[in-house]
Amino acid sequence: MMFVEKVGVVGAGTMGARIAELMAVNGHEVVMKDVDEQQVKQGMQTIEGILDDLVDYHETKADQAIEEIEDEYRIDLTDDQKETIREVESPTYDRERADRIYERIQPTTDYDDFEDVDIVIEAVVEDMDVKQQVFADLEEATERHVPLCTNTSVLSITEISAGVEDRRQKVLGMHFFNPPQQLPLVEIVPALETHDSVVENVMNFAEELNNHRYPMQPVEVEETPGFIANRILARAQSEAFLIYEEGKASKTDIDKAVKTGLGWPMGPLELADHVGIDVVHHVQEGLKEQGQAGYQREPQIIDKLYELGRLGKKSGRGFYEYSE
């Protein structure tokens, strides 16, 4: 059985900051590391923005619920009915609670601050050499009992574990989905030498977590390129990219068809922009390198957008254009 009081997160970027916030929401002390003060500062700003959005949502959710009921049923609720809804939908997150969550997160650029963590989640750039060096550093910086998890979406967990010498049995994948504040899936992926007890402990830890909306839903999957969700998603998205490249349908109609016909909350091209064209590019390249592409013709649009720096929402332009 594993008791987790303090979580170490390596990487303060898109996923690292969001994972750190998720852990703090669940009451854990967090130390979040990146390579320099500017990266750490940006990560803390991301967390502050997430918490601001959370407070805003809770402050307005009762009025939104009232508006939705009145619009859907074409009625005017009484003052008593509105008051009942406001009581049911009363905010569970206010500014004071958000501030306490924020204060649980310690930004750092020094691995010395990882000396008392109980679990580590790495979320740095999808580069094998970089990840192996991070895990080598973590082996030196943390206690021997601490599980060392990677949030990689496509790289080999076993190859990442080669960065450590004596604790490969503690290395495994713990893959969250962006944004983890709304998406509850966590893929737990053991490497070749990961001990079963470590997998069980991390599964149990993940099952105890809640994001802003739902209990987290961990699944265990043997190591395979793309794991479960990204392996399936990559195939579906590639078909959508090919339809767009071939001019068979517009981007808006492709996304509309998938949302209204398949029940996706977001279309495949919208999703690529949301996740980041660079992330989709790296996933596709990783799958190809591991022999899991398998398409009759590879879509080129992601490579082209990546080269142009059109990375989706983060850059203001991907398949779609975004204003500030």
Side-chain angles (χ1 to χ4, degrees), residues 98-136:
D99 289 343
R100 291 199 302 269
I101 292 169
Y102 185 84
E103 290 168 1
R104 293 189 189 116
I105 304 170
Q106 174 192 350
T108 186
T109 59
D110 195 336
Y111 277 117
D112 287 348
D113 293 316
F114 279 61
E115 62 180 359
D116 59 345
V117 299
D118 301 299
I119 187 172
V120 176
I121 304 167
E122 166 272 314
V124 303
V125 62
E126 292 280 48
D127 181 287
M128 183 59 72
D129 292 338
V130 174
K131 287 185 183 289
Q132 287 182 338
Q133 183 58 58
V134 167
F135 275 76

Side-chain angles (χ1 to χ4, degrees), residues 1 20 31 38 43 51 86 89 106 108-109 111 127 155 160 166 170 181 199 219 224 233 246 254 273 316:
M1 185 174 179
V31 54
Q38 181 60 31
L51 291 170
R86 290 191 177 99
E89 298 290 348
Q106 174 192 350
T108 186
T109 59
Y111 277 117
D127 181 287
L155 297 180
I160 291 172
D166 299 324
K170 296 289 186 180
Q181 280 65 36
V199 177
V219 297
T224 183
L233 177 62
E246 294 166 0
I254 293 169
D273 276 358

